[in-house]
Amino acid sequence: MENKNPTTIVIFGASGDLTKRKLLPALYQLTMEKLLPENLKIVGFARSEKSHEAFRAEMKAALVQFSRSKPQDGTQALQAFVSRLYYQSGSYDNPESFQTLRNFLDKLHGDQDNNSQHDNRLYYLSTPPTVFWKIISTLGETGHIAKAEDQTRWTRVIIEKPFGQDLASAIDLNRKILSVLNENQVYRIDHYLGKETVQNIMTFRFGNSIFEPLWNRRYIDHVQITVSEAVAVGSRGGYYDHSGAIRDMVQNHILQLLALVAMEPPASFVDEAVRDEKVKVLKALRPIPQYEIAHFSVRGQYTGGEVNGKPILNFLDEKGVQSNSHTETFVALKTFIDNWRWANVPFYIRTGKAMAERLSEITILFRQPPLALFKHKWHEGHVEGDQMHPNTLTLRVQPDEAIRLNFGLKIPGSRMMLQPTDMEFCYSDVFHAEPPEAYERLILDSILGDSTLFIRHDEVEAAWKFVDNIVRGWEQDKVSTIKPYQAGSWGPKASHDLLEQSGRRWLHQ
Ligand code: BG6
């Protein structure tokens, strides 16, 4: 760590699940790997009254349960880590609570600098989005936020998703936040960008020379992005019923995957250069015409069923969900990027809850060879109509992180017969190590001041613009309805039809 200044992380929403399951385990792991400033202190802030000791005991239990390195209770390392934790209770809409917090923070690192603020501060907003602005404005009013021109220390704010409910609310939130903070102090998080395999999309594309010449409309027929989840909405029914799959997954994670797959090579690997290229892709997404919404999109809602042997309730019977809800738990889209590289190449994307399996994967499907020399020579089942099995390149984000190239090879024997075959690179086989958790990388980057893997204000707005248009189309469309699909399936039949109309099919169905 170059930055030797004392550093304090304040987590708003410290009694939430994210703090226990992800944030504290990530901070613990980074500490074990000696990647954080030695004198780091972490302060949890939430509504409920609690002593420092009670908070430490709770977090210790969470670390034993959720931490990647599975520390034993009672070990010295674990004890040393929890002794850096503190807790302040307070209300998000009470400036006095923030004043008390500030007084507490100012004394936390001891007497240096006459008890005045001298430490770097990272505020993590892991709260419901309804209080994002309240927290930031009150931080501003109560003197928590150091001016950007103060070179001796920094103040940064990490904001969890969802960032806005639609374009208008995202613009409004950006405008307000940027009246208190500079853009380079704001870290809008999308945990997908912290996943190793997602970062590897960039290294795979731009650190190698093999595929990039093929990465365009001349050689690629279409792209499929699937992010399916086996889990149902679980305890988050109330939130999810207001959000739906398009806001929960497409606006952020999936459009980010799409941007990384489709972006132009940045001129350098610094934050602004990478984000400039991503935002160009998001701005080039062709708006789906509202009168054709049913032709380009499918909404689904799961009905009861079974996934991996476990029974799943009907979505409408889930706790917190309105019994007549029209919220989509599945969405599939056919979309285009109107730029030189991708003109007329469809990007099919789909995501859903309670689907057949957990799978996040991007597949590039290459065009057919110009002459079908071996058309009748493919092993049974690998020719459909005039289409032979296409060459595919799959980037599997999770689980079983891998990169797989599929091509046709001659089956050994005296007959000329072809069969699709995989050439596969598996992370676990090559690196023999578990990839770090997304939050580890992202928290570290925010402390190092690197915002490459965070979302800039214009990216978030471009993504909402695309999504808003679809949501409006659904609201106005009287013809297409939400399609039921059985829990444990690959989504409604209409999602298969979305590809079939142009002679294509999902790789998993
Ligand atoms: C979150 C969504 O952002 O991402 C959840 O709100 C979803 O609904 C989760 O389950 C998926 O993340 P991961 O890392 O498990 O793929």
Side-chain angles (χ1 to χ4, degrees):
M1 278 295 304
E2 270 181 26
N3 195 338
K4 296 251 186 285
N5 282 355
T7 302
T8 310
I9 300 181
V10 179
I11 303 177
F12 289 102
S15 27
D17 240 23
L18 189 73
T19 305
K20 288 194 191 82
R21 286 174 182 269
K22 299 289 180 188
L23 305 185
L24 262 296
L27 285 162
Y28 176 74
Q29 194 64 36
L30 290 169
T31 306
M32 292 304 102
E33 291 172 22
K34 303 203 178 339
L35 291 169
L36 295 180
E38 269 174 30
N39 39 20
L40 174 86
K41 299 201 190 268
I42 300 162
V43 180
F45 183 100
R47 290 198 183 93
S48 43
E49 293 274 341
K50 208 176 290 175
S51 66
H52 300 312
E53 278 314 318
F55 182 61
R56 286 173 188 155
E58 245 178 62
M59 292 305 128
K60 202 200 279 183
L63 288 170
V64 170
Q65 191 179 355
F66 300 117
S67 196
R68 196 154 64 86
S69 50
K70 299 269 170 283
Q72 298 284 311
D73 196 357
T75 56
Q76 214 183 351
L78 183 60
Q79 200 48 46
F81 178 78
V82 296
S83 69
R84 297 162 167 220
L85 304 183
Y86 300 85
Y87 183 82
Q88 279 286 295
S89 68
S91 158
Y92 297 129
D93 51 16
N94 182 359
E96 266 176 42
S97 303
F98 283 66
Q99 196 59 60
T100 313
L101 175 68
R102 190 181 154 196
N103 295 340
F104 178 74
L105 296 180
D106 286 354
K107 298 206 176 83
L108 198 56
H109 286 276
D111 240 359
Q112 299 135 326
D113 210 12
N114 299 327
N115 276 355
S116 65
Q117 288 181 33
H118 58 273
D119 51 328
N120 294 323
R121 303 250 170 107
L122 176 65
Y123 295 90
Y124 198 118
L125 272 52
S126 169
T127 62
T130 42
V131 293
F132 286 167
W133 168 236
K134 192 77 226 164
I135 294 175
I136 293 174
S137 62
T138 318
L139 284 174
E141 284 156 21
T142 49
H144 280 267
I145 294 176
K147 294 274 176 300
E149 47 287 1
D150 182 346
Q151 299 296 315
T152 57
R153 66 195 185 88
W154 49 254
T155 310
R156 297 180 186 139
V157 180
I158 299 187
I159 305 175
E160 262 298 331
K161 68 174 273 271
F163 194 94
Q165 260 294 303
D166 52 20
L167 177 61
S169 55
I171 291 178
D172 185 52
L173 190 56
N174 271 330
R175 186 182 51 76
K176 287 175 174 158
I177 290 175
L178 295 176
S179 70
V180 177
L181 295 156
N182 293 323
E183 176 64 35
N184 65 7
Q185 296 178 290
V186 183
Y187 288 71
R188 297 173 197 79
I189 208 164
D190 182 320
H191 79 279
Y192 265 56
L193 293 183
K195 290 182 191 273
E196 273 294 317
T197 35
V198 173
Q199 293 164 47
N200 202 36
I201 298 172
M202 283 187 282
T203 48
F204 179 77
R205 285 190 58 195
F206 306 132
N208 299 293
S209 58
I210 312 176
F211 291 106
E212 208 42 34
L214 309 179
W215 213 263
N216 58 54
R217 69 183 186 288
R218 274 189 293 280
Y219 302 100
I220 294 178
D221 177 74
H222 72 282
V223 177
Q224 297 186 9
I225 303 180
T226 292
V227 180
S228 58
E229 293 188 90
V231 292
V233 294
S235 57
R236 298 165 74 227
Y239 150 77
Y240 197 87
D241 199 15
H242 283 106
S243 156
I246 198 157
R247 291 190 175 93
D248 188 48
M249 295 294 287
V250 177
Q251 187 274 338
N252 36 66
H253 310 323
I254 296 191
L255 289 185
Q256 284 297 320
L257 294 180
L258 179 141
L260 292 173
V261 169
M263 70 195 251
E264 295 300 318
S268 68
F269 199 61
V270 298
D271 44 10
E272 290 313 322
V274 171
R275 301 196 297 180
D276 283 348
E277 295 308 332
K278 281 198 296 159
V279 80
K280 281 188 210 161
V281 173
L282 297 172
K283 285 184 174 171
L285 280 168
R286 185 188 301 172
I288 295 184
Q290 299 195 354
Y291 59 91
E292 282 196 286
I293 197 80
H295 191 68
F296 287 94
S297 74
V298 174
R299 283 175 289 166
Q301 195 181 71
Y302 64 84
T303 57
E306 210 175 81
V307 183
N308 300 331
K310 289 203 193 109
I312 301 270
L313 282 181
N314 191 343
F315 176 66
L316 297 178
D317 297 330
E318 297 272 16
K319 197 161 160 250
V321 175
Q322 301 263 332
S323 57
N324 60 351
S325 167
H326 287 287
T327 301
E328 78 288 349
T329 62
F330 172 94
V331 55
L333 301 173
K334 175 180 182 178
T335 165
F336 292 92
I337 299 167
D338 283 336
N339 65 15
W340 198 267
R341 183 188 286 258
W342 294 113
N344 293 323
V345 175
F347 281 69
Y348 295 98
I349 61 190
R350 66 175 169 173
T351 183
K353 298 269 185 206
M355 289 179 64
E357 58 181 86
R358 175 171 179 251
L359 175 73
S360 299
E361 142 174 321
I362 300 158
T363 300
I364 315 294
L365 293 95
F366 292 91
R367 285 182 185 275
Q368 299 279 313
L371 194 60
L373 285 179
F374 300 109
K375 184 170 170 189
H376 302 293
K377 309 276 186 188
W378 283 78
H379 194 251
E380 211 179 321
H382 294 300
V383 181
E384 281 178 25
D386 279 344
Q387 302 284 307
M388 289 166 295
H389 190 84
N391 290 144
T392 59
L393 174 71
T394 298
L395 309 175
R396 182 180 271 226
V397 172
Q398 62 190 24
D400 312 325
E401 294 81 356
I403 296 180
R404 190 183 326 116
L405 187 64
N406 185 284
F407 40 77
L409 284 182
K410 181 179 174 306
I411 303 174
S414 46
R415 288 197 310 149
M416 178 55 86
M417 289 297 290
L418 278 76
Q419 179 178 306
T421 316
D422 278 340
M423 189 160 92
E424 188 168 65
F425 146 76
C426 237
Y427 275 71
S428 53
D429 292 349
V430 175
F431 294 118
H432 306 289
E434 212 185 321
E437 279 281 327
Y439 281 94
E440 292 172 27
R441 172 65 194 260
L442 294 175
I443 292 177
L444 180 61
D445 278 2
S446 66
I447 291 176
L448 295 173
D450 182 349
S451 44
T452 311
L453 300 176
F454 291 83
I455 316 288
R456 207 168 56 189
H457 67 100
D458 49 350
E459 278 183 83
V460 104
E461 290 174 15
W464 271 123
K465 191 170 178 193
F466 176 71
V467 162
D468 256 20
N469 180 60
I470 298 170
V471 173
R472 263 201 310 279
W474 286 344
E475 281 164 3
Q476 283 165 20
D477 182 38
K478 302 277 180 281
V479 186
S480 79
T481 49
I482 201 149
K483 309 281 188 303
Y485 66 98
Q486 195 178 17
S489 71
W490 281 103
K493 177 176 173 301
S495 136
H496 307 299
D497 299 343
L498 189 70
L499 274 73
E500 246 162 47
Q501 15 168 286
S502 24
R504 302 183 174 108
R505 55 201 290 271
W506 291 111
L507 288 178
H508 301 269
Q509 56 179 10

